[in-house]
Amino acid sequence: STWGLDSMPRLVAFALALALAACALARPHHPVIPAAYKVTYVETLVTNGTTYTWSVNEFTDVNQNSSRMENAAGNVDEICFSVAGHEFESCIVIVNAQWRYAIYPESNYCCHCCVSGPPGYCGVVKPNWASDGKYAGEHVIQTGSVNTTCYEFLVQGQFLNRYYVTPSPKYAPEGLVAPCMFQEYVSPQTPVKRLVYDLPTFEAGPQPSSLFDLPSGMGCETNQCPGICATVPHN
């Protein structure tokens, strides 16, 4: 048979079917991020009716059992802000195989918060933590300087977590995703925490081990963090 004008509707329908199939393939079934990466994000936290926003530089390498979160001054990070006398200071949180630490460069002070393994479970967040999440739709999110099509997954823990990711090969290796946004809700209508990732800064790959070195002479191993850390089991 010949392909004439009467074939055009079928061609259009076929093209649309291919496009829809491509979109379906693009959606990740399990939102697993790379085991090692660096990224900058903006964190927003609502506490006592007040909203605070600050920037964080994160470096994570699960193969080294380590993470580093550099919280800018003005932060109300749950651990950093709970250490009396150091509220709103810039604060570096380092996680290794033993402990989670809070470091205050301006005050030359460091303390350990909680153990990485049981019973505290304060270790590095696993890249597949949301792999059992329930798919909840597609959204366009402003991720730093770019708008990105992201896929939402619902993960129920102590609170309801809404996790938005992209499988774009610009950011994530094949079969993995990069984070767009994370939101934590104490109820379906009440968000208390939001992390919006600056995707152009997301870079998958091993991180230098020196990033996770603890500063000397600041009391990291001897000082026990007060505040919220005192409520977490240590042994």
Side-chain angles (χ1 to χ4, degrees):
S1 61
T2 59
W3 290 91
L5 290 176
D6 61 332
S7 301
M8 291 302 292
R10 283 177 290 171
L11 285 173
V12 171
F14 181 67
L16 285 172
L18 286 178
L20 290 172
C23 289
L25 289 173
R27 176 170 69 83
H29 295 288
H30 302 287
V32 179
I33 63 175
Y37 61 89
K38 62 179 180 179
V39 68
T40 296
Y41 58 84
V42 173
E43 181 165 351
T44 300
L45 189 69
V46 180
T47 179
N48 296 325
T50 302
T51 301
Y52 298 90
T53 300
W54 69 97
S55 64
V56 182
N57 298 319
E58 178 187 353
F59 308 85
T60 289
D61 196 322
V62 172
N63 297 319
Q64 300 184 60
N65 290 313
S66 297
S67 282
R68 176 188 179 103
M69 281 74 69
E70 300 173 346
N71 294 273
N75 77 83
V76 292
D77 174 84
E78 291 96 329
I79 292 175
C80 297
F81 190 73
S82 74
V83 178
H86 300 280
E87 299 88 345
F88 300 114
E89 286 186 31
S90 62
C91 172
I92 301 170
V93 174
I94 287 182
V95 184
N96 61 27
Q98 288 75 44
W99 288 86
R100 182 173 290 249
Y101 301 84
I103 303 164
Y104 302 88
E106 297 165 20
S107 299
N108 199 39
Y109 179 79
C110 176
C111 57
H112 56 270
C113 179
C114 48
V115 294
S116 294
Y121 295 105
C122 288
V124 177
V125 177
K126 302 304 182 186
N128 63 344
W129 74 270
S131 60
D132 292 332
K134 179 182 178 183
Y135 177 67
E138 178 181 319
H139 308 268
V140 175
I141 296 173
Q142 185 172 349
T143 51
S145 60
V146 296
N147 290 326
T148 306
T149 298
C150 304
Y151 300 92
E152 179 185 1
F153 290 84
L154 304 180
V155 184
Q156 186 66 57
Q158 180 182 5
F159 302 114
L160 173 64
N161 301 302
R162 296 181 180 272
Y163 193 41
Y164 307 79
V165 299
T166 174
S168 170
K170 288 173 58 179
Y171 309 114
E174 185 176 358
L176 300 175
V177 298
C180 299
M181 183 168 69
F182 167 86
Q183 294 187 103
E184 184 178 87
Y185 284 71
V186 294
S187 73
Q189 288 79 36
T190 311
V192 292
K193 178 188 286 190
R194 182 193 307 120
L195 279 58
V196 180
Y197 293 85
D198 185 354
L199 270 180
T201 70
F202 186 87
E203 195 174 311
Q207 299 301 304
S209 60
S210 59
L211 283 170
F212 312 117
D213 291 343
L214 298 173
S216 59
M218 293 176 64
C220 293
E221 303 294 356
T222 55
N223 298 327
Q224 168 64 56
C225 297
I228 193 173
C229 297
T231 68
V232 181
H234 296 102
N235 51 48

